Amino acid sequence: MAALAMTACGDGLGTHSIDEDAARDALKSRGVEIPSTFRFGQMYESQVFSGANSYLGRYDGPQTVFVNSAQLSAANSTFPPLQPIQCTDPAVATLEWGILGFSCTKEMQLLASENPANSEFPTDKVTLLLTSDGTRAHLFVSAEGH
């Protein structure tokens, strides 16, 4: 009986990639708006049996979206303003950004915002990480579930 329950419950659960439309809907439900200057890169969804799913994704854009980061902040006005951070910051060091092709270097420029800010518990926390390598900008989004 336990093996059957595990098999039945396992269908559709776990981590898998989702398409741009599903990503937009998922992030919108978590209060995240992606400005049209960004292009969808990839998004993973971690489905759970009950509760809110988690999402981890990347959007790409020209260098100008990093320079004009106020546009991202304005689109997500419920978030604290984007702040400069370093590779050692928990917003970078504690999340699995590598699955999205992210590798932090000390030459990289990083801006981040977390909502809710300074949350002791990561349940439902959303992190926006805007990066620049001097040529292109990338927006990484983590929406933790529960």
Side-chain angles (χ1 to χ4, degrees):
M1 183 72 140
L4 180 59
M6 293 291 280
T7 303
C9 291
D11 290 343
L13 300 180
T15 301
H16 60 278
S17 61
I18 59 175
D19 66 20
E20 183 175 5
D21 291 335
R24 180 179 33 257
D25 292 345
L27 292 180
K28 186 170 245 175
S29 74
R30 299 298 295 276
V32 178
E33 184 67 37
I34 305 296
S36 62
T37 50
F38 288 97
R39 297 291 168 246
F40 179 75
Q42 63 189 114
M43 180 74 66
Y44 292 97
E45 175 182 43
S46 293
Q47 291 184 330
V48 293
F49 181 69
S50 66
N53 295 337
S54 295
Y55 301 92
L56 189 65
R58 186 192 83 240
Y59 291 81
D60 306 310
Q63 176 63 18
T64 56
V65 297
F66 187 86
V67 174
N68 299 320
S69 62
Q71 179 188 23
L72 179 61
S73 289
N76 294 282
S77 60
T78 61
F79 284 71
L82 289 160
Q83 297 295 316
I85 61 168
Q86 303 296 317
C87 292
T88 55
D89 189 276
V92 176
T94 60
L95 295 172
E96 298 295 327
W97 302 114
I99 193 172
L100 301 168
F102 175 76
S103 178
C104 198
T105 65
K106 62 181 176 177
E107 296 82 24
M108 185 176 283
Q109 294 178 294
L110 304 167
L111 298 172
S113 178
E114 293 182 332
N115 193 21
N118 302 319
S119 175
E120 187 174 325
F121 301 102
T123 302
D124 296 334
K125 180 170 64 174
V126 177
T127 302
L128 302 177
L129 175 63
L130 184 60
T131 70
S132 170
D133 59 12
T135 306
R136 303 260 320 140
H138 304 282
L139 172 60
F140 296 91
V141 181
S142 171
E144 298 291 328
H146 62 271

